[in-house]
Amino acid sequence: MPGARRPRVLYIAFYFPPARASGVYRARATANFLVEHGWDVTTFAAPISFLRDKVGSMDESLDSTVDPRIHVVRPDFRKYAWDRDVRQFRWWRRNFPVVSSRMHAFSLAHVFPEAYASWGLSCARRAVAMHARERFDLVIATGNPFAAFGAAWWIHRMTGLPYVVDYRDSWTLDLFKDEPGFPENHPAWRWENRVLRDASLSVFVNEALRTWHQERYPKYADRMMITPNGWDPELLIMPTSPDGAGSTRDPGPLRFGYVGTISGVQPVEQLVGAFERARDHAELADAELNLYGYLGFFKGANVDLLHRLGASEDSADNGVHYRGPVSKTEVGSAYERSDVLVFMAGGAKYVTSGKIFEYMAAGRPIVSVHDPGIAATEVLRGYPLWFTANSMDPSEIAHSMVAAGKAARDLTPDQREAARQYANAYTREAMLTPFEARLRSVISKSKDRDG
Amino acid sequence: MAELATGRPGSLLLLSFAQRPSERIVKYVLFMTEQGVSVDFVLWDEQSWREADLPPGVRTHQVRQREHRLLTQKLKRFFLYQLPGAPFGVLRCVTDSNPLTRAATPVVARAHRLVHRAGGAVEKRIFDPFYRILRPFLLAGVAEGAIRGRVDLKGVTRIVSTETYSITYAWRLAKRLPGVATTIYLDRGPLPPVAG
């Protein structure tokens, strides 16, 4: 409408570029999508000093992928849980460490049950001040950390602004054990209830997670929607032409590739065991498994992982090579160097993993190494080059690796194109379009209510 | 690896004033000693740590007896136990001295136990909460006495405070030893060599 003000959204996303935690891609894509579709976007994100000095988790190449029209603000906060250098402790903590520790425990029990609580409070203070100067229309908070949800709730209580919470991750459900993440009387339950009670909308990445929350909070079930993750075409730059003309596979040993952060909750032993068995097959005798990514999400990465993988950068007896991290903007090269992609994921039925969409977009055979019932299988089921053992038994997984390897050798351009066509339905744009429409509806209803 | 290519190998100074050993810390010490790191451990009670399988090569410096001799502890024992208990000692002598009054001895003993228990309750509910706040200060002075002449601080290149009570002492050491990493993190990385 000519002259109409662009809707103004405050997007509270702790992990935002240049952070490299896995949730950053959804946050980055959401902010970019909104600004491209006519929104005025202000993002509250983590201080750079925290990302660099406390968690050591940055990918600076992601900065250039953020739309410059997005106004990024980085409220500071108390980093009690992350301060390790005694010289950096404040006077109070150095001299009264017991009292300081008790105050921290008190704030977790009675203010907000998360170490990021002071960031949430900082965001709320800043938001109220900014809202007084130029009104926002909506707040969106994405978690984890769930202090973002707390901030949205506090802002709502102080200003009446409607807010939306985006569950990139689960707060009170332990995804990997499939059980509640907190004891029954833990303050996290009270907090989640009040956040969902007052939210205009809550968003989940898959049906399994939404269903769990609907069953737990039936009164708010009608305000819960699904917005799956997707893949970002602007980040997936493959060095060779995707026109499918002729096979692009180099002659030589088959190359299995895992691209992404490797964490302790993933079934690395099953992966390595299966690959070693698969190499007993003549087709895969000289195959290699290349692991591209960080070991762990944060600084002080788990050195045990390398040991568990039995991997090295030099020639490895078991064919497993750790190739180190690749920046998000360079992953296309890692996919290009892989004939088969290994989708390894920890957890059970609630896990989708954002990675799977990009894997499909690469148009390669994908072999699964994960619990058969995970939510990602809903997406993979229609992918024409998916190979799964439906089991965590390394021998069975090895069979599917052999099948995937054979498919890679014989892959035709038409098959690759069919795979990519399937993936095109899962671009980030396709996933976010209904979400954006719903946000406009939230604002419209809020304005109608306010008269 | 315990050292970098050049310089004299540094040593690790570990601090724990907790009254019970921690398996996590024992594992950390074991890891570091297996890397060849020289470890000095300022701890509260050596025997309990040894029983928790602290590696034998670790040099320990105990603060328990020194804390027991602190004026605050002496005053606590005097006002909560010795002073209230003194009349019962006298009474006991009186009741024991005379066959007619000897029957009262068990009553006196029971009353003494009740007073002692009351002292314990006062210690736990009133004295201890305040003492815990001051304990880091007090133990910082005590620990200094425990290591004087026994630990070569010039050779220390990492100080690790493993629990809350030792933070104040760690800070004091950090001020005296600029350039020495002082952390609450059980850092398993290689130690830097001694500077110079």
Side-chain angles (χ1 to χ4, degrees):
Chain A
M1 202 158 91
R5 175 171 79 74
R6 287 182 304 159
R8 217 161 157 258
V9 63
L10 171 60
Y11 187 45
I12 306 177
F14 187 87
Y15 288 113
F16 196 76
R20 72 164 175 86
S22 63
V24 73
Y25 307 111
R26 183 177 174 96
R28 182 203 74 94
T30 301
N32 280 351
F33 184 88
L34 290 177
V35 82
E36 281 160 20
H37 286 76
W39 293 69
D40 180 329
V41 179
T42 296
T43 296
F44 280 2
I48 296 287
S49 59
F50 175 83
L51 298 175
R52 183 187 56 230
D53 302 332
K54 300 300 180 191
V55 298
S57 177
M58 284 176 64
D59 179 356
E60 275 154 347
S61 71
L62 280 176
D63 259 341
S64 61
T65 68
V66 174
D67 193 303
R69 291 171 289 178
I70 296 169
H71 180 213
V72 182
V73 177
R74 298 183 183 274
D76 205 355
F77 68 112
R78 250 177 27 104
K79 302 168 195 68
Y80 183 95
W82 295 271
D83 284 336
R84 290 167 168 180
D85 183 345
V86 172
R87 284 189 182 84
Q88 288 181 353
F89 287 3
R90 296 183 181 196
W91 179 89
W92 179 252
R93 188 174 182 185
R94 291 196 306 257
N95 291 288
F96 296 96
V98 173
V99 177
S100 183
S101 169
R102 286 204 190 138
M103 283 170 60
H104 179 70
F106 181 87
S107 77
L108 289 178
H110 300 286
V111 176
F112 192 83
E114 201 181 56
Y116 298 86
S118 67
W119 183 75
L121 281 168
S122 198
C123 285
R125 278 195 298 269
R126 200 76 174 260
V128 169
M130 290 176 76
H131 182 65
R133 287 195 297 273
E134 189 178 356
R135 293 181 63 81
F136 291 110
D137 298 300
L138 180 68
V139 177
I140 305 173
T142 182
N144 63 48
F146 299 98
F149 288 13
W153 185 82
W154 279 316
I155 295 165
H156 168 74
R157 294 288 288 193
M158 289 189 275
T159 64
L161 273 171
Y163 68 94
V164 170
V165 291
D166 174 29
Y167 277 80
R168 264 187 2 255
D169 202 350
S170 174
W171 188 357
T172 52
L173 166 65
D174 185 326
L175 295 178
F176 297 101
K177 294 181 187 167
D178 190 6
E179 60 188 38
F182 299 97
E184 199 54 45
N185 293 322
H186 194 278
W189 296 110
R190 287 195 297 281
W191 265 101
E192 184 171 62
N193 183 69
R194 71 169 63 116
V195 163
L196 288 174
R197 181 194 65 207
D198 295 346
S200 297
L201 181 65
S202 48
V203 184
F204 302 89
V205 295
N206 59 48
E207 181 61 55
L209 275 172
R210 178 172 71 163
T211 301
W212 187 89
H213 287 83
Q214 284 177 327
E215 287 170 359
R216 186 108 199 166
Y217 305 99
K219 283 193 224 170
Y220 322 131
D222 60 337
R223 285 179 265 148
M224 295 182 179
M225 75 176 283
I226 300 169
T227 298
N229 284 313
W231 64 281
D232 304 291
E234 70 275 16
L235 290 183
L236 186 60
I237 302 156
M238 309 272 288
T240 55
S241 167
D243 63 4
S247 170
T248 57
R249 204 189 89 71
D250 294 331
L254 274 168
R255 299 161 301 178
F256 286 68
Y258 171 86
V259 182
T261 299
I262 300 164
S263 73
V265 297
Q266 289 171 316
V268 294
E269 281 82 6
Q270 284 90 335
L271 168 65
V272 173
F275 188 69
E276 287 173 349
R277 285 171 174 77
R279 283 192 2 136
D280 288 338
H281 192 283
E283 285 268 5
L284 270 64
D286 56 355
E288 55 189 45
L289 170 60
N290 298 306
L291 308 169
Y292 302 93
Y294 287 92
L295 293 176
F297 283 105
F298 302 115
K299 187 163 65 171
N302 193 347
V303 297
D304 285 343
L305 275 169
L306 209 53
H307 175 70
R308 285 170 67 192
L309 289 162
S312 73
E313 287 186 26
D314 308 317
S315 60
D317 291 337
N318 62 357
V320 180
H321 302 270
Y322 175 58
R323 301 296 185 191
V326 286
S327 73
K328 185 64 177 173
T329 51
E330 293 166 345
V331 289
S333 302
Y335 292 133
E336 190 57 32
R337 291 194 292 273
S338 304
D339 304 308
V340 176
L341 293 173
V342 175
F343 176 49
M344 175 176 62
K349 66 179 183 180
Y350 302 103
V351 174
T352 302
S353 171
K355 183 187 301 91
I356 196 58
F357 303 98
E358 198 172 73
Y359 267 28
M360 295 191 301
R364 267 117 174 99
I366 296 173
V367 63
S368 278
V369 181
H370 54 72
D371 189 289
I374 73 171
T377 56
E378 293 168 14
V379 174
L380 282 166
R381 201 160 281 128
Y383 183 69
L385 296 173
W386 181 41
F387 297 85
T388 179
N390 278 322
S391 164
M392 288 298 284
D393 184 320
S395 299
E396 312 244 352
I397 297 172
H399 288 316
S400 55
M401 284 181 170
V402 172
K406 286 179 181 169
R409 283 208 193 279
D410 302 332
L411 198 61
T412 65
D414 286 345
Q415 285 173 318
R416 192 190 291 278
E417 183 56 27
R420 288 194 174 122
Q421 283 300 323
Y422 180 81
N424 283 344
Y426 291 97
T427 60
R428 199 74 77 163
E429 168 126 12
M431 300 296 102
L432 287 172
T433 297
F435 173 61
E436 193 259 348
R438 195 74 185 261
L439 296 180
R440 288 186 184 269
S441 157
V442 165
I443 292 177
S444 172
K445 280 186 189 154
S446 170
K447 286 187 172 157
D448 290 344
R449 233 184 354 255
D450 294 343
Chain B
M1 284 194 301
E3 63 216 50
L4 298 177
T6 59
R8 180 160 68 94
S11 70
L12 172 66
L13 180 60
L14 206 57
L15 311 175
S16 170
F17 300 155
Q19 292 178 341
R20 277 192 282 272
S22 154
E23 187 185 338
R24 185 177 68 99
I25 297 167
V26 169
K27 282 184 179 165
Y28 173 65
V29 175
L30 187 61
F31 176 87
M32 296 306 278
T33 53
E34 282 173 353
Q35 304 303 310
V37 173
S38 169
V39 178
D40 280 285
F41 193 176
V42 185
L43 41 67
W44 192 67
D45 173 53
E46 179 180 357
Q47 185 181 346
S48 56
W49 281 93
R50 293 288 179 208
E51 284 166 6
D53 296 329
L54 190 71
V58 173
R59 289 181 299 281
T60 57
H61 313 279
Q62 187 169 251
V63 301
R64 181 177 187 169
Q65 283 85 358
R66 290 172 185 267
E67 184 180 16
H68 188 74
R69 292 196 293 266
L70 282 173
L71 181 62
T72 40
Q73 292 291 320
K74 287 180 181 172
L75 288 172
K76 174 199 77 179
R77 290 191 295 271
F78 178 76
F79 283 108
L80 295 186
Y81 302 106
Q82 291 162 3
L83 186 61
F88 295 95
V90 171
L91 269 175
R92 187 113 180 217
C93 289
V94 167
T95 57
D96 277 347
S97 67
N98 188 327
L100 289 175
T101 55
R102 202 164 286 150
T105 299
V107 175
V108 170
R110 185 151 187 271
H112 189 185
R113 283 196 299 274
L114 284 172
V115 166
H116 187 90
R117 219 178 286 163
V122 171
E123 177 179 358
K124 188 174 168 187
R125 289 185 191 156
I126 298 175
F127 176 82
D128 279 350
F130 287 101
Y131 181 70
R132 277 192 211 111
I133 294 171
L134 297 176
R135 194 167 181 253
F137 271 121
L138 297 170
L139 288 184
V142 158
E144 189 56 37
I147 68 164
R148 191 175 297 124
R150 300 182 67 199
V151 174
D152 172 23
L153 287 177
K154 290 198 183 96
V156 169
T157 53
R158 183 180 295 152
I159 300 168
V160 176
S161 161
T162 65
E163 45 71 50
T164 306
Y165 289 112
S166 57
I167 285 175
T168 303
Y169 185 48
W171 160 244
R172 291 190 187 176
L173 287 170
K175 274 199 301 185
R176 281 165 60 188
L177 305 170
V180 172
T182 309
T183 177
I184 60 173
Y185 172 54
L186 300 185
D187 188 346
R188 282 173 155 81
L191 261 66
V194 179

